[in-house]
Amino acid sequence: WYKNLTTCQGIKKIREWYVTQMKQNWKEWHQWSLEKRGCTRKCHHCKQEKLCSKGAEDPQDLKWYCQACWNHYYKHWQCASCKCWTLQRGDKWQNQWLCS
């Protein structure tokens, strides 16, 4: 058992194990430190903690949303007639989208 630790292969395996542990712990510690320093914000829609640079505040309701939720929002459109929001577009009439 001890002889395996002193060989080059044994030392390499030990080093790989420590590097893996450090990487996992570093990610957790880094996220924790960002939260404590106030560099993250909680998305109002998905409720996940994200970096402040990965989202924006809505000027209408002054709530902060992450970029993934903004991308989902921009995929929607509003019918000019009934004002309903949907992902599917209907007919275009006088440069306005209407439900089909």
Side-chain angles (χ1 to χ4, degrees):
W1 177 83
Y2 180 74
K3 290 179 184 178
N4 291 340
L5 292 179
T6 58
T7 64
C8 288
Q9 187 176 6
I11 292 171
K12 184 179 177 184
K13 286 183 180 180
I14 292 170
R15 184 182 60 83
E16 288 172 357
W17 182 84
Y18 274 104
V19 168
T20 303
Q21 294 300 315
M22 287 171 47
K23 283 182 182 177
Q24 290 174 352
N25 292 337
W26 167 254
K27 289 177 185 176
E28 292 171 11
W29 181 85
H30 185 64
Q31 183 68 28
W32 176 83
S33 68
L34 289 173
E35 290 173 10
K36 293 299 176 193
R37 289 185 285 158
C39 297
T40 62
R41 293 187 72 175
K42 190 175 198 176
C43 177
H44 183 71
H45 181 71
C46 69
K47 309 295 188 224
Q48 292 184 359
E49 289 282 335
K50 304 281 184 154
L51 291 174
C52 291
S53 61
K54 303 289 183 187
E57 193 173 85
D58 184 2
Q60 300 295 324
D61 63 5
L62 301 178
K63 293 180 177 142
W64 191 87
Y65 298 92
C66 69
Q67 192 60 47
C69 290
W70 278 115
N71 292 342
H72 181 70
Y73 170 78
Y74 288 129
K75 290 179 184 175
H76 289 75
W77 67 276
Q78 188 177 24
C79 174
S81 174
C82 70
K83 305 296 183 201
C84 290
W85 289 90
T86 183
L87 285 170
Q88 298 175 350
R89 292 193 176 171
D91 301 322
K92 195 169 187 179
W93 182 73
Q94 294 182 346
N95 289 332
Q96 292 182 341
W97 289 104
L98 301 173
C99 292
S100 43

